[in-house]
């Protein structure tokens, strides 16, 4: 049992790489599938969390980025570009360093979490803050990649989806088969597309006997798929999924329909409540957008949509450290004490 080698080496036979492909990796994937005690109790289901914040740059994007940057390297690209609400840019920035490439990122001005901005900066990427939202950034990034010698590494790049589908493989490899239900947050809709592809491939080739129903959740203020039309000015505290016109919209609908699933919305209040519950009751610190899957689970359970006794996996997509403002906000101030055991004990309620 050697060290986990990253998703390309671990799933090489299921990914578009050849023997001579120069693999660019940070050892992504192999993330924990954590049995969720409180959520299982509350729902009467067997609930697991796929903790994607444990990836090298703190989000699921690394699974796709190892493939996208590897392909860019193989094609001889010297520069990559992406639009991002923060996590894609953090990941692209790190993998570009590994590949010796220049990385340019376009982010919506004032709307990305500080930790993610710090990642793009410390890895030396060139950051442009765009006076617009994510959808505007993606339009701009696409245009630049068509006109200039720079490879686009957003999830419209098929290599990204290939890499991200490995998360579904890992779930099946751990549980012995696909779960009944798989829940995840939906923003640009690449990840739900990728999971569905992975589950379908495993069901077609043997490792799984079936596919799960796919349940995706958008934030209420940024829920174009639920509304059935693009949202011009998307708004949510879950900045990672603040997206009004998802690039993989039709693929997300296809995953929903083919799996007998659903795409629903959760409010910011429900997201924050799930966020706090995950941290305080499950010991899992995620960023707000990540909690949309769990918020969706609790919403479904409360409205009687969730049958008991099912095996359920919720992907929590990104690490809580990326956006610590929400952890600190509203929390009591830490107490200052002198270097004195009795005084400290008293403040802790031990004495
Ligand atoms: N959760 C987190 C933490 C994300 O960063 C994203 C997307 C999603 C969920 C939604 O995934 O877009 O595949 O439906 N973040 C992108 C970014 C948009 O730029 O980092 P999706």
């Amino acid at each position: 049992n050697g060290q986990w080698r990253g998703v390309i080496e671990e799933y090489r036979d299921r990914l578009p790489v050849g023997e001579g492909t120069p693999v660019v990796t940070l050892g992504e994937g192999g993330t924990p599938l954590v049995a969720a005690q409180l959520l299982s109790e509350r729902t009467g289901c067997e609930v697991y969390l796929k903790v994607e914040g444990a990836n090298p740059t703190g989000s699921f994007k690394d699974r796709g980025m190892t493939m996208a940057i590897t392909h860019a390297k193989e094609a001889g690209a010297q520069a990559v570009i992406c639009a991002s609400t923060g996590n894609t840019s953090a990941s692209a920035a790190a993998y570009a360093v590994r590949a010796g490439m220049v990385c340019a990122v376009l982010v919506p001005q004032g709307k990305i979490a500080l930790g993610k901005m710090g990642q793009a900066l410390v890895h030396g990427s060139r950051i442009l803050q765009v006076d617009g939202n994510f959808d505007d950034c993606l339009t701009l990034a696409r245009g630049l990649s068509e006109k200039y010698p720079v490879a686009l590494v957003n999830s419209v790049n098929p290599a990204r989806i290939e890499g991200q589908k490995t998360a579904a493989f890992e779930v099946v490899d751990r549980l012995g088969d696909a779960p009944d239900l798989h829940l995840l947050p939906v923003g640009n809709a690449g990840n739900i597309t990728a999971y569905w592809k992975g589950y379908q491939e495993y069901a077609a080739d043997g490792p799984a006997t079936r596919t799960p129903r796919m349940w995706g959740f958008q934030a209420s203020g940024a829920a174009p798929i639920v509304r059935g039309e693009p949202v011009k000015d998307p708004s949510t505290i879950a900045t990672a999924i603040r997206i009004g016109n998802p690039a993989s919209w039709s693929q997300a609908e296809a995953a929903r329909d083919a799996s007998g699933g659903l795409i629903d919305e959760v409010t910011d209040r429900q997201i924050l409540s799930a966020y706090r519950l995950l941290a305080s009751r499950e010991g899992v610190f995620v960023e707000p957008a990540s909690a949309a899957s769990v918020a969706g689970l609790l919403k479904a359970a409360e409205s009687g949509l969730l049958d008991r006794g099912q095996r359920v996996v919720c992907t929590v997509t990104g690490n809580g450290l990326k956006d610590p403002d929400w952890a600190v906000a509203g929390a009591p101030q830490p107490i200052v004490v002198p270097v004195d055991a009795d005084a400290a004990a008293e403040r802790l309620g031990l004495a």
Side-chain angles (χ1 to χ4, degrees), residues 10 94 136 176-178 186 209 233 236 254 260 294 313 334 346 348:
E10 297 292 337
D136 301 317
D177 205 340
V186 172
T209 67
D233 198 5
T236 167
V294 172
V313 176
E346 192 200 318
L348 290 170

Side-chain angles (χ1 to χ4, degrees), residues 60-61 84-88 186-191 240-241 243 287 317:
F60 69 96
K61 305 289 182 179
S84 184
T85 55
N87 281 324
T88 298
V186 172
N188 211 25
N191 212 27
I241 54 173
I243 294 174
E287 64 169 289
T317 43

Side-chain angles (χ1 to χ4, degrees), residues 123-159:
H123 291 305
S125 68
R126 298 188 187 166
I127 305 172
L128 298 180
Q129 299 211 67
V130 177
D131 181 14
N133 59 34
F134 170 84
D135 308 288
D136 301 317
C137 293
L138 185 55
T139 303
L140 192 49
R142 280 177 137 145
L144 287 167
S145 72
E146 279 157 20
K147 263 185 106 169
Y148 299 94
V150 57
L152 185 65
V153 294
N154 279 104
S155 58
V156 293
N157 178 336

